[in-house]
Structures are given as structure tokens and as C-alpha cells.
Amino acid sequence: MHRHERWGLVLAGGLLGLGLMMGYSTLQPGSPRLTQDDIDKAVLHTLNNKPLPSLAAKAYEKIRPSVVRVRGLSVPNAEGRQREIGTGTGVVIVDEGLILTNLHVVMGAPRLQVVFDDGHVAEADMVAAQPENDLAVIKPRTLPDDLIPATLRSTSDLAPGDQVVAVGFPFGIGPTATAGVVSGLGREFRSPEGERILTNLIQFDAAANPGSSGGPLVTQDGEVVGIVTAILNPTEHRVFVGIGFAVPIENAAAAVGLSPF
């Protein structure tokens, strides 16, 4: 067989193989095009098998590092032991460690102690007070390494029905998150002793109890709009009946000479 004939056979074989491959590819079905229905089903499958955290859970996680437990302690006895005479909540609002809480939480306590989210414990001093709003500012003597202040948000666009979360230490348990809605604005509240009337309060229905006082009331974005200050108690029992009150953050910020907005 001549060389030219051999090359001709090789070329013909190559062309035949290419033709077979092209024909096979033509016979195979193409990749299906994704439709909107396919995408919706995939998203629904993901949500059913890996649900997203609730908005309240996200708000809690954002504010939690800024929430502290505030303890009022007695003078040490002969053995150096201290007795807890009051407990409440506070929220860090500036990098230097200033903490907002309620005046009734710290008033009358010979010594104050703050427990941070990471477990750091520090003695604290009251550095400012705003009795007309039941607010106090305390400053810890030492701070944790990674202190995260809360983000404050104006109440100018807050409206009844808006979702809110209260975070604190009710009965010393916590941090505890409860969720609800803003029930009203511009409310008044008279203390059980009748000594003081608090005005321009945010009314909310997220559960609050003794120990929640001084804690932050936050939006679904985890931004502070108020400081929990009181619960309505129509009976002698100190339990939550669905009506709580918070001081708007504008008033609270004024207690430390800040204009947060």
C-alpha cells in the first residue's frame, strides 16, 4: 500500500470518528434550563432543612455582649463576705465602659458589682443620676478586653405594633430574652410607693420581672430604643401582667450628656 493511500485511510478514520462523536452528542439531551419554580423549590427545601434564626434571636445575639448584670452588695462582714441586697441589669453604651441602669437598682447599695458577658467581674461606682427618669450611670473600675457597646437608635419612628426584645436578668436569671411589641408611647407611670411619676414612657408587652430593670429594650435589629424601668402591678404580687415600661433612649443618653443621633 502506498504511503499516500495509508494517510488517506488514517484521515478517513479520523473523520469517521469525529462524525460519530458529533452524532452521539446530538442524540444526548441537553442540560435542562432552571425555571423559577425549580429555584423556589430549592429555596424552600433549604429553609425547611436549615431554618434561619428568628429576628428576635438575631436581636438578642447582637445586644447580648453589651448587657451586664448589676449587683448591689452589702458592706463586707467580719469574715469579708458580702450579701446581695439588690440585682438588676445594665447596658454598656460607650467604649469607656459607661453603663446605663435604673436608679432604683443601685440606690442605697454600699457597693456595686458588674458582671460582664464574658464573665469578667468588676467593682463599679455610680457617676451620674437622673432621678426624674429613674436612671443611673455606673462606671466599672476594670473592663474586659473586648468590650462591645450597644448601638442606640432614635425612637422618633417607633410605633405601636413594632416588634421589640427585652434583655435582662429577671430574678437574677440570665441573660434572658423576651419578645413582644410596643403597646403604646408617651405613657405615665406612678411608682408603687407613689413617690415619683415617670412620663413619656414606652409601653411594651415583652415579659419583664424584678431584675429586668435597667436592661435594654431593643428593635429587631438589636438597637437600643429604651431602658426597661417598671412593670405594672395591679396586685401585691410582683409578677408581670403584660404591661412594662421603658425610658426612651433619648432621655437615657441625656443622663450621660450624650446625644446619640
Side-chain angles (χ1 to χ4, degrees):
M1 183 181 293
H2 297 292
R3 184 173 61 179
H4 293 295
E5 293 176 350
R6 289 200 301 270
W7 281 110
L9 290 174
V10 171
L11 180 60
L15 291 173
L16 177 62
L18 179 60
L20 291 173
M21 290 179 62
M22 293 179 65
Y24 177 79
S25 299
T26 303
L27 294 174
Q28 296 304 304
S31 299
R33 295 183 60 185
L34 288 177
T35 66
Q36 185 61 48
D37 185 58
D38 295 328
I39 296 173
D40 292 342
K41 289 179 179 178
V43 171
L44 183 61
H45 175 78
T46 301
L47 291 176
N48 288 335
N49 289 275
K50 190 176 181 181
L52 296 174
S54 69
L55 293 176
K58 293 172 66 176
Y60 169 76
E61 284 302 318
K62 181 174 180 179
I63 192 61
R64 181 182 53 79
S66 307
V67 178
V68 302
R69 181 180 177 187
V70 180
R71 303 177 67 212
L73 302 175
S74 66
V75 175
N77 60 18
E79 300 176 350
R81 297 178 180 175
Q82 295 174 287
R83 179 172 54 88
E84 184 176 277
I85 59 176
T87 184
T89 308
V91 57
V92 180
I93 59 169
V94 293
D95 294 331
E96 291 77 9
L98 291 181
I99 295 169
L100 273 174
T101 187
N102 282 145
L103 182 59
H104 74 260
V105 169
V106 299
M107 188 169 55
R111 304 184 70 175
L112 298 175
Q113 186 184 79
V114 172
V115 183
F116 289 89
D117 178 64
D118 65 352
H120 180 81
V121 179
E123 299 293 311
D125 302 291
M126 186 169 71
V127 295
Q130 197 179 72
E132 65 272 22
N133 287 311
D134 189 27
L135 292 169
V137 182
I138 60 177
K139 185 174 183 179
R141 297 176 186 177
T142 61
L143 298 174
D145 293 332
D146 298 318
L147 186 63
I148 302 176
T151 300
L152 310 184
R153 174 177 169 176
S154 170
T155 62
S156 61
D157 61 347
L158 200 64
D162 284 347
Q163 300 286 331
V164 287
V165 176
V167 181
F169 290 84
F171 304 108
I173 302 171
T176 296
T178 58
V181 299
V182 173
S183 305
L185 300 169
R187 303 299 200 219
E188 290 189 354
F189 174 78
R190 182 183 293 273
S191 65
E193 299 79 12
E195 298 175 354
R196 184 183 303 117
I197 297 179
L198 302 177
T199 61
N200 191 37
L201 299 175
I202 301 168
Q203 180 187 332
F204 62 91
D205 70 351
N209 283 287
S212 301
S213 295
L217 184 71
V218 304
T219 64
Q220 291 182 330
D221 296 323
E223 298 175 343
V224 182
V225 289
I227 300 296
V228 176
T229 192
I231 57 177
L232 184 62
N233 284 305
T235 70
E236 295 180 358
H237 303 288
R238 299 179 66 197
V239 295
F240 185 65
V241 296
I243 297 179
F245 299 101
V247 178
I249 195 59
E250 289 88 346
N251 299 63
V256 290
L258 294 178
S259 177
F261 317 114

